[in-house]
Amino acid sequence: MPASNLLQPVRFEQDDARARGRAHGELWRPQIHELAELRVALCLERAGYRDREALERVAAAHLPVLAAEEPALHEELLGIAEGADLSPERVLVLNHYTDLRDIPGAAGPQRDAGEPDGCTAIYLYGEHGAVLGQTWDMHATAAPFVRVMHLLPPGGVEVLCLTLTGCLGLAGLGQHGVAVTINNLNSTDARVGLVWPALVRSMLAASDARAAYERLLAAPLSSGHHYMIADGRAYFGVECSGELKVLTQVGPKAAHLHTNHCFDPVLRGRERLVPGTTSFARLDMATTLYAQQRPRDVDGLWALLGSHDGYPRSICAHVDDLRGDPSASRTCARIAMMPAHGRMRVAPGCSRDDQPLELALDRFVPAAAAGPLH
Ligand SMILES: [Zn+2]
């Protein structure tokens, strides 16, 4: 089966969030069990949890926050757990893995968070408007679990999103043209907070980029991420730690690049750089390639995201090859969105095997049809 078939969008048309989650959980039950087990093991290996019970206690503490902040997405997560026949705590670990690694475990000192993982995200304003894309880099063992969900609730907001089996969503595009990408940041002030894939889904459903930005500002976060939010007319790049949020990038007509370290000086005091991180090398490479290639459209951005210059610390990342370690970081998917057109390009794995899928929203309603760029 061609790898791109993994990313053929799966449609979920339930209005009821619990039923939608249950369908998701039933469809990918064995994969959800496998990925949850992988991530529990990685959390125990890389963070300061004494044992599974300690990890699950911290995971469980996130459920009431999710219920209070995003009741429908809480229902959807419980539905995934029911459908997959797995505990909600395990599904929580699957979703919130990167942040759970940063939260000090019950057993004391944080161990090396390990994985110098990444993601390279790029925004540009080209000949046909805004384009926002990223590589999705994570433990290479996650690659078989990458999927695309096409959510089409008759009474709700349509969303196309990249995800993992059992996960609420990683990045994507909503019916009103709000596109969101993510870079992981490792924070020293991590805490129990809102499960970040639920926040992504909430932002994708927003009426425009500003509303998504305001949702982010109001969210009690758990650990660090950089969020890029664009709707074709507005752009927000926001660096966050567990406790702080700083708008570091604005300007929809500019180009913006980000990897996995903070630009903001205050946030730099809240970040833990993982030894061996490729973040600086990838940002340098992306900046150089951007200046050389001057990408003007989705094809240009796509070529940049697939670059192997500097391999294996390249934008299309292959750190797992370097270390011979299948739990080291690799580009597991690439995504590019054209928010003003309701379109998305997505492909699994390495750009050498490029088999992108071109996807479109069925019910696209452009955000802020009138008004100046801001
Ligand atoms: Zn590659």
Side-chain angles (χ1 to χ4, degrees):
M1 180 172 85
S4 60
N5 284 6
L6 275 184
L7 299 194
Q8 285 291 348
V10 175
R11 293 165 77 97
F12 292 95
E13 302 187 27
Q14 299 81 357
D15 253 331
D16 179 73
R18 188 86 166 222
R20 179 164 59 245
R22 212 176 285 127
H24 174 161
E26 286 171 4
L27 179 63
W28 292 317
R29 184 181 294 156
Q31 293 87 352
I32 292 168
H33 278 255
E34 202 178 330
L35 182 60
E37 189 54 35
L38 268 171
R39 291 193 147 183
V40 166
L42 286 172
C43 268
L44 292 176
E45 184 187 320
R46 293 173 171 175
Y49 299 100
R50 185 189 300 117
D51 51 29
R52 277 169 192 264
E53 288 65 35
L55 173 61
E56 289 188 2
R57 267 198 303 278
V58 175
H62 290 74
L63 290 167
V65 182
L66 179 58
E69 289 285 320
E70 293 289 342
L73 290 163
H74 176 252
E75 286 294 311
E76 188 169 322
L77 188 139
L78 295 183
I80 292 172
E82 284 170 5
D85 192 22
L86 192 66
S87 72
E89 292 79 12
R90 291 283 171 95
V91 176
L92 199 301
V93 174
L94 186 159
N95 274 264
H96 204 47
Y97 157 68
T98 51
D99 288 24
L100 285 168
R101 273 187 327 198
D102 292 342
I103 297 174
Q110 191 80 7
R111 290 197 281 272
D112 175 8
E115 193 174 345
D117 55 5
C119 288
T120 303
I122 302 173
Y123 171 89
L124 62 86
Y125 198 89
E127 288 164 5
H128 310 291
V131 188
L132 175 60
Q134 74 170 114
T135 62
W136 199 278
D137 307 350
M138 48 192 158
H139 53 101
T141 46
F145 305 97
V146 177
R147 296 290 186 279
V148 172
M149 293 196 296
H150 193 170
L151 308 170
L152 282 153
V157 178
E158 181 187 9
V159 168
L160 265 171
C161 68
L162 186 70
T163 195
L164 294 163
T165 56
C167 179
L168 292 168
L170 300 172
L173 180 66
Q175 180 177 339
H176 304 293
V178 176
V180 176
T181 61
I182 306 293
N183 297 103
N184 191 51
L185 301 171
N186 293 108
S187 299
T188 55
D189 60 359
R191 55 188 183 168
V192 172
L194 178 58
V195 178
W196 72 264
L199 174 62
V200 169
R201 281 279 303 281
S202 180
M203 290 196 286
L204 293 176
S207 56
D208 61 17
R210 176 161 290 281
Y213 170 59
E214 285 168 1
R215 175 67 191 98
L216 170 59
L217 292 185
L221 299 183
S222 183
S223 188
H225 292 273
H226 176 252
Y227 295 89
M228 285 184 169
I229 309 164
D231 63 8
R233 303 196 67 79
Y235 172 86
F236 303 90
V238 189
E239 287 184 347
C240 305
S241 70
E243 295 175 348
L244 304 178
K245 306 178 181 91
V246 180
L247 180 64
T248 55
Q249 298 173 334
V250 290
K253 287 279 184 116
H256 300 287
L257 295 87
H258 210 284
T259 52
N260 305 94
H261 58 276
C262 296
F263 299 170
D264 180 77
V266 174
L267 281 176
R268 265 185 233 142
R270 305 281 186 115
E271 82 176 327
R272 186 181 62 254
L273 291 170
V274 177
T277 182
T278 62
S279 184
F280 297 94
R282 282 182 290 109
L283 184 66
D284 285 351
M285 185 62 70
T287 306
T288 301
L289 290 173
Y290 190 92
Q292 288 171 349
Q293 298 176 2
R294 308 304 300 177
R296 296 295 302 153
D297 55 19
V298 67
D299 293 330
L301 180 74
W302 197 252
L304 219 168
L305 289 177
S307 167
H308 286 101
D309 286 17
Y311 172 93
R313 295 183 177 82
S314 35
I315 295 174
C316 188
H318 290 268
V319 182
D320 58 323
D321 288 354
L322 177 70
R323 304 170 135 212
D325 173 3
S327 61
S329 181
R330 182 211 297 177
T331 293
C332 293
R334 287 157 292 130
I335 183 171
M337 294 166 286
M338 291 140 276
H341 302 277
R343 302 189 65 85
M344 171 191 288
R345 179 180 296 184
V346 64
C350 177
S351 62
R352 291 185 186 118
D353 315 314
D354 210 18
Q355 297 169 319
L357 297 173
E358 304 288 347
L359 310 177
L361 293 164
D362 287 4
R363 309 194 305 230
F364 175 54
V365 181
L373 288 166
H374 52 84

